[in-house]
Amino acid sequence: MEPTQNVTEFILLGLCHNEMLQPVCFVFFVLLYIATVLGNLLIIVTVKSSQYLKSPMYFFLSYLSFVDMCLSSVTAPKLIADFFVERKTISFDGCIAQLFVVHFFGCTEIFLLTVMAYDRYFAICKPLHYTTIMTGYVCGSLVMASWVGGFVHSIVQTLLTIQLPFCGPNEIDHYFCDVHPLLKLACADTYLVGVMVIANTGMLSLTCFVVLVVSYVIILVSLRTRSSEGRRKALSTCASHIAVVIIFFGPCIFMYLRPSTTFSEDKMVTVFYTIITPVLNPLIYTLRNKEVKNAMRKLGS
């Protein structure tokens, strides 16, 4: 039986309800978005044009920057435009499309961060075998697998949502279409769908996070046998990765590893992984990486 869809559009309540603060929020998020696009674009151009950044780590970093730029672009422009719009609407089809694309890029980033930990493990723990293991073909296959994994996850998440009936109300207390606010509006029992969302998104985030933590613990333990210079360089690289992992996975696990409920903190937590993390990644990777900073200087000279 086809789901009943009386709702043709949704009304987004947005991020900021205080009219006095809206101009401030507008400027803040415009600057954040510009910094996100320019910062990640700079990393992509630097990696692609520099002959010194040809290792797998920088290959993966360029794709991570591309995904960050896309993830922010799915939500930030609509959020910015809606600050001065009294009635913030989005069509039903547009809402479902936004849900799909956000989860596609979000999950792809989860897999890419896991792949980058895999790369660091072999680079630090198996240095003699690193070049034979992490070949161009393997690196390309891992990136492709991340894209496919993100697509499959997002398709499942979207199909779980779109088969639900929406017959009103149509107000989403959020600044973009996400699964929990939509489940709250469905005119049906969403318990089973909520459980499947936990399995599809929450457990995926937690599993990848545990794998990442274990891999970095193994890496840190292996560093005890290294020289002080080798240990310092490896720690500097791993510290950047660990910072990104914590900043990105913390909000994801909080949002999706729980029953289908919404909290007042959800919007600010979501801002963290859709807007704040993409702008922080270029800073984290460049400030702690001499090779990237040197390549950027040569690019500008």
Side-chain angles (χ1 to χ4, degrees):
M1 189 175 172
E2 290 293 318
T4 304
Q5 305 294 6
N6 295 334
V7 173
T8 58
E9 66 176 16
F10 293 101
I11 298 171
L12 299 169
L13 298 185
L15 185 65
C16 178
H17 303 296
N18 189 324
E19 290 187 7
M20 298 290 290
L21 288 177
Q22 284 185 358
V24 177
C25 291
F26 173 81
V27 173
F28 176 70
F29 283 105
V30 164
L31 292 176
L32 273 184
Y33 182 59
I34 291 172
T36 298
V37 173
L38 294 180
N40 284 292
L41 204 56
L42 179 60
I43 285 182
I44 294 169
V45 172
T46 302
V47 171
K48 295 300 180 185
S49 61
S50 175
Q51 59 180 334
Y52 303 105
L53 303 179
K54 297 303 180 185
S55 70
M57 181 178 76
Y58 299 114
F59 175 76
F60 296 133
L61 177 59
S62 65
Y63 279 97
L64 180 69
S65 292
F66 176 73
V67 170
D68 273 332
M69 196 164 56
C70 293
L71 179 61
S72 184
S73 296
V74 179
T75 57
K78 172 70 173 166
L79 169 66
I80 291 166
D82 281 347
F83 278 123
F84 295 112
V85 177
E86 188 173 341
R87 194 168 183 268
K88 307 169 179 63
T89 61
I90 185 169
S91 68
F92 181 86
D93 291 340
C95 185
I96 296 301
Q98 190 179 51
L99 172 71
F100 171 83
V101 179
V102 165
H103 280 270
F104 172 56
F105 286 118
C107 189
T108 300
E109 176 150 351
I110 285 175
F111 288 132
L112 275 176
L113 289 171
T114 308
V115 164
M116 290 175 78
Y118 174 83
D119 170 69
R120 288 300 83 204
Y121 168 77
F122 281 109
I124 295 170
C125 299
K126 310 282 185 182
L128 298 178
H129 304 286
Y130 180 64
T131 54
T132 56
I133 294 171
M134 299 301 290
T135 62
Y137 175 78
V138 170
C139 292
S141 298
L142 288 171
V143 169
M144 180 59 69
S146 298
W147 286 108
V148 172
F151 179 80
V152 172
H153 158 81
S154 192
I155 280 288
V156 172
Q157 197 83 315
T158 304
L159 290 176
L160 286 174
T161 307
I162 203 170
Q163 53 85 31
L164 293 169
F166 294 94
C167 46
N170 66 337
E171 287 189 344
I172 298 176
D173 189 15
H174 217 304
Y175 63 90
F176 76 97
C177 292
D178 201 8
V179 62
H180 285 315
L182 284 171
L183 292 183
K184 191 176 178 182
L185 298 181
C187 307
D189 183 5
T190 59
Y191 174 77
L192 184 59
V193 176
V195 171
M196 294 174 75
V197 167
I198 292 173
N200 185 41
T201 309
M203 288 306 298
L204 176 66
S205 301
L206 182 63
T207 302
C208 289
F209 181 71
V210 170
V211 169
L212 285 162
V213 169
V214 170
S215 66
Y216 283 121
V217 167
I218 294 171
I219 289 170
L220 292 174
V221 169
S222 72
L223 289 177
R224 292 183 301 176
T225 58
R226 298 294 181 88
S227 65
S228 58
E229 177 61 24
R231 190 161 53 239
R232 184 199 61 77
K233 188 176 180 181
L235 279 173
S236 178
T237 303
C238 288
S240 302
H241 291 218
I242 292 168
V244 170
V245 165
I246 292 171
I247 291 169
F248 186 78
F249 277 85
C252 286
I253 292 170
F254 172 80
M255 286 296 300
Y256 300 109
L257 194 66
R258 69 181 199 216
S260 181
T261 53
T262 56
F263 298 119
S264 58
E265 298 86 4
D266 284 355
K267 285 188 279 189
M268 290 311 301
V269 172
T270 309
V271 164
F272 228 84
Y273 76 85
T274 59
I275 297 175
I276 303 295
T277 302
V279 78
L280 287 179
N281 282 356
L283 292 173
I284 292 170
Y285 281 110
T286 54
L287 290 177
R288 297 189 61 87
N289 193 306
K290 285 185 179 179
E291 290 176 333
V292 176
K293 284 192 286 187
N294 290 336
M296 286 181 175
R297 290 193 195 101
K298 289 176 182 176
L299 186 67
S301 60

